[in-house]
């Protein structure tokens, strides 16, 4: 079974039993702004459950963050941007398949908008200034990418990226790309990984601080 690489210092600090850590992301690692502009309004508000597909590093953390967003019905970890035949962890980890680790978010647009999901995505779920990687994970499968599910999402995502750039919301250029690609669910052992393994060293070091940041920076979106 493939194992997510964890820095040796983190494994030592966490201990064999996976003792919880209390580390937070330093500014040099997060590169996140203190505030983000509001997302552009949606021209036509959709009705019924909608789907968003977002990639931003390890899908464990992305999934864990969006599971705590009000109006989100479900989150599934998986792969987007490559073909079905190679949409598995072993192949994607080779960094040759074109996939990105991504999450499929089913949400209720009456409770949370696509723009608000993007606000969380850029604000706390990952660092959109990192190119082909997030924190200790390097390679194009960990890239920052948005996979719009319709033209309205594509236009809104492009407009919001432009607004973030105009507002100088980050101290580095935004690396996030808008891409095409089908989403394929990941293996079952990846699903709900943060919820099922809260004491995991990788989760505590890199992902738990994102959930804490969601609660602090976007309390209007947070649900326990």
């Amino acid at each position: 079974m493939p194992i997510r690489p964890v820095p040796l210092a983190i494994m030592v600090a966490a201990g064999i039993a996976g003792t919880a850590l209390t580390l937070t992301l330093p500014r040099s690692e997060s590169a996140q702004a203190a505030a983000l502009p509001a997302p552009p309004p949606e021209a036509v508000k959709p009705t019924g459950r909608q789907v968003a597909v977002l990639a931003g590093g390890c899908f464990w953390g992305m999934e864990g963050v969006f599971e705590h967003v009000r109006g989100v019905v479900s989150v599934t970890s998986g792969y987007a941007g490559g073909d079905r035949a190679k949409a598995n962890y072993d192949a994607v980890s080779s960094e040759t398949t074109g996939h990105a680790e991504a999450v499929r978010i089913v949400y209720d647009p009456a409770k949370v908008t696509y723009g608000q999901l993007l606000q969380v995505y850029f604000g706390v779920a990952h660092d959109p200034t990192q190119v082909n990687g997030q924190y200790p994970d390097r390679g194009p499968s960990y890239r920052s990418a948005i996979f719009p599910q319709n033209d309205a999402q594509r236009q809104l995502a492009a407009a919001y990226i432009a607004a973030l750039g105009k507002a100088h919301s980050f101290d580095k250029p935004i690396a996030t790309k808008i891409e095409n690609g089908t989403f394929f669910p990941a293996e079952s052992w990846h699903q709900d990984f943060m919820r099922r393994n809260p004491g995991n060293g990788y989760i505590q070091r890199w992902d738990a601080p994102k959930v804490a940041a969601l609660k602090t920076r976007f309390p209007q979106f947070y649900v326990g």
Side-chain angles (χ1 to χ4, degrees), residues 21-196:
L21 305 179
T22 57
L23 299 175
T24 57
L25 298 179
R27 172 70 182 180
S28 60
E29 291 174 346
S30 67
Q32 293 175 351
L36 299 181
E42 294 178 318
V44 178
K45 189 170 184 177
T47 58
R49 291 182 177 180
Q50 301 293 308
V51 172
V53 176
L54 305 172
C58 175
F59 43 32
W60 295 347
M62 289 282 289
E63 181 186 58
V65 168
F66 284 102
E67 284 182 336
H68 286 281
V69 173
R70 178 204 65 202
V72 168
V73 177
S74 65
V75 189
T76 304
S77 290
Y79 313 103
D83 61 40
R84 181 185 299 275
K86 296 181 179 179
N88 63 80
Y89 192 72
D90 285 339
V92 174
S93 295
S94 73
E95 302 298 346
T96 62
T97 69
H99 295 87
E101 289 198 9
V103 290
R104 181 180 186 270
I105 303 164
V106 178
Y107 66 98
D108 180 352
K111 297 179 180 179
V112 63
T113 68
Y114 184 71
Q116 289 168 337
L117 293 177
L118 292 182
Q119 215 172 355
V120 171
Y121 171 72
F122 284 107
V124 298
H126 82 307
D127 177 357
T129 70
Q130 294 191 32
V131 179
N132 285 340
Q134 285 289 305
Y135 312 117
D137 299 316
R138 310 311 303 171
S141 70
Y142 300 107
R143 67 188 182 272
S144 175
I146 297 171
F147 294 85
Q149 301 301 291
N150 51 53
D151 288 341
Q153 288 188 2
R154 183 177 299 276
Q155 293 171 11
L156 195 149
Y160 195 40
I161 290 173
L164 293 172
K166 184 176 181 179
H168 302 289
S169 297
F170 298 91
D171 54 14
K172 298 178 182 178
I174 293 174
T176 309
K177 302 299 182 185
I178 298 175
E179 302 185 22
N180 297 316
T182 302
F183 177 88
F184 305 103
E187 296 82 352
S188 61
W189 71 277
H190 288 298
Q191 307 303 329
D192 299 311
F193 191 90
M194 183 188 292
R195 181 175 57 79
R196 293 185 293 102

